[in-house]
Amino acid sequence: MKLLVAVGAFATMTVASAADECLTAGGYNICEAAARIQQKFANSLPMQVSDNVTVHSALVFGRRLSFHAVWAQSNAE
């Protein structure tokens, strides 16, 4: 019985820390903002940002935005 209580307390602490990562001191939810930015940005992909760089995808991991881009250059360049 004591083992189950300890496991339940650990699971609760893990969920709470994940939620805390998203909130700023002012209560702004960065995770939700990142998801909104990703959704708007993803509608315009693939996007060529220069002659040899194209952004292909945008992903959200919690409060982090991750972009996948291809840098296309020849061997001479």
Side-chain angles (χ1 to χ4, degrees):
M1 182 67 173
K2 291 181 183 179
L3 178 61
L4 292 175
V5 173
V7 171
F10 177 74
T12 303
M13 290 183 336
T14 303
V15 171
S17 65
D20 291 343
E21 177 183 292
C22 292
L23 297 177
T24 65
Y28 185 74
N29 192 322
I30 296 174
C31 296
E32 288 178 5
R36 284 193 308 271
I37 292 168
Q38 184 270 341
Q39 288 172 352
K40 289 181 181 181
F41 192 76
N43 291 333
S44 61
L45 296 178
M47 176 191 299
Q48 189 165 357
V49 294
S50 71
D51 289 341
N52 55 2
V53 177
T54 304
V55 177
H56 285 277
S57 64
L59 304 169
V60 174
F61 302 99
R63 63 184 201 173
R64 294 159 188 84
L65 284 169
S66 176
F67 299 96
H68 174 256
V70 174
W71 187 359
Q73 287 190 315
S74 67
N75 287 336
E77 293 173 320

